[in-house]
């Protein structure tokens, strides 16, 4: 993204909303935007394959593994406003396990893109399945959307909950129930 584009963008946005792009507080905004965009949209430069580059198979572990409350921040593709929350992931390995931080990195790959929560949940579980080939997995995501809090219906405490279920978690209600019980503790 060029500095020229961001200068023009801030100038035109300022004019559109009735602001003065030349005032002191806005003069360095194009540079600040460039730096912010590098973080906010960093997911486009990463892949799930990079995240799961090294997996482990030291013991035949086949019990449920749960990673709870991975916080994330994303940008709504509909309004370009943030949404944020937590994702919890459960899976039962088949042959390999991944490092704990790999799951946070996987969430970041997809959260740091223009996104919907439904898509984020889907992409996390699909890539987990593709990269680790577990017996099953479940992802639960809860988030607050500023497009609903700051504008529109302005409901401050409303959150959206999405989930995705694959393999044994879908086939066996006891496995789903165990995962959900882990989330309550």
């Amino acid at each position: 993204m060029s500095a020229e584009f961001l200068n023009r963008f801030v100038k035109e946005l300022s004019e559109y909303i009735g602001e003065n792009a030349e005032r002191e507080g806005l003069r360095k905004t194009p540079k600040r935007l460039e730096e912010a965009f590098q973080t906010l949209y960093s997911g486009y430069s990463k892949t799930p394959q990079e995240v799961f580059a090294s997996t482990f198979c030291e013991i035949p572990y086949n019990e449920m593994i749960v990673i709870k409350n991975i916080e994330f921040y994303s940008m709504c593709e509909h309004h370009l406003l943030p949404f944020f929350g937590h994702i919890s992931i459960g899976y039962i390995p088949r042959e390999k396990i991944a490092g704990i931080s790999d799951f946070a990195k996987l969430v970041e790959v997809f959260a740091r893109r223009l996104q919907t929560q439904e898509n984020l949940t889907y992409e996390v579980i699909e890539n987990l399945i593709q990269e680790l080939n577990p017996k099953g997995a479940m992802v639960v995501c809860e988030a607050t959307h500023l497009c609903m809090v700051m504008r529109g219906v302005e409901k401050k405490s409303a959150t959206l909950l999405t989930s995705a279920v694959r393999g044994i978690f879908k086939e066996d209600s006891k496995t789903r129930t165990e995962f959900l019980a882990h989330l309550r503790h």
Side-chain angles (χ1 to χ4, degrees):
M1 188 172 311
S2 74
E4 180 183 314
F5 169 79
L6 288 171
N7 283 322
R8 197 170 55 250
F9 172 76
V10 170
K11 185 177 190 305
E12 290 182 21
L13 176 63
S14 296
E15 289 172 6
Y16 179 76
I17 64 173
E19 181 59 83
N20 175 8
E22 298 303 317
R23 74 176 174 81
E24 181 67 29
L26 290 174
R27 283 193 200 132
K28 294 182 181 176
T29 297
K31 180 67 177 156
R32 290 183 195 109
L33 263 183
E34 180 181 15
E35 292 167 0
F37 286 175
Q38 288 173 359
T39 300
L40 295 174
Y41 305 113
S42 62
Y44 290 110
S45 64
K46 299 174 185 162
T47 67
Q49 294 77 25
E50 293 169 324
V51 169
F52 291 118
S54 62
T55 56
F56 312 97
C57 187
E58 296 163 0
I59 57 171
Y61 193 84
N62 62 2
E63 301 297 325
M64 187 179 301
I65 298 171
V66 177
I67 305 94
K68 286 176 37 173
N69 298 324
I70 302 168
E71 73 178 36
F72 73 89
Y73 300 87
S74 193
M75 297 293 284
C76 167
E77 66 185 35
H78 299 141
H79 302 98
L80 300 181
L81 290 172
F83 69 96
F84 56 92
H86 293 88
I87 290 181
S88 295
I89 299 169
Y91 76 107
I92 298 176
R94 186 181 310 275
E95 297 169 3
K96 51 188 174 178
I97 60 174
I100 298 167
S101 66
D102 291 351
F103 295 95
K105 292 174 190 173
L106 179 65
V107 169
E108 287 297 298
V109 165
F110 296 108
R112 296 297 185 165
R113 300 177 181 193
L114 290 176
Q115 195 59 275
T116 66
Q117 182 175 332
E118 296 85 349
N119 244 15
L120 175 60
T121 305
Y122 174 82
E123 288 173 324
V124 167
I125 200 164
E126 286 298 310
N127 283 278
L128 173 107
I129 295 291
Q130 182 178 343
E131 296 304 316
L132 296 181
N133 189 29
K135 293 178 183 174
M138 187 165 175
V139 173
V140 173
C141 177
E142 184 170 9
T144 299
H145 293 251
L146 292 188
C147 56
M148 189 166 167
V149 172
M150 294 176 63
R151 55 158 300 284
V153 296
E154 296 186 24
K155 298 302 174 203
K156 311 295 185 243
S157 60
T159 60
L160 179 63
L161 185 69
T162 53
S163 65
V165 185
R166 302 290 184 276
I168 195 167
F169 285 78
K170 190 170 200 150
E171 299 156 7
D172 181 10
S173 64
K174 289 183 207 170
T175 305
R176 269 192 317 279
T177 301
E178 179 184 342
F179 173 71
L180 294 171
H182 287 307
L183 297 187
R184 285 190 289 272
H185 299 297

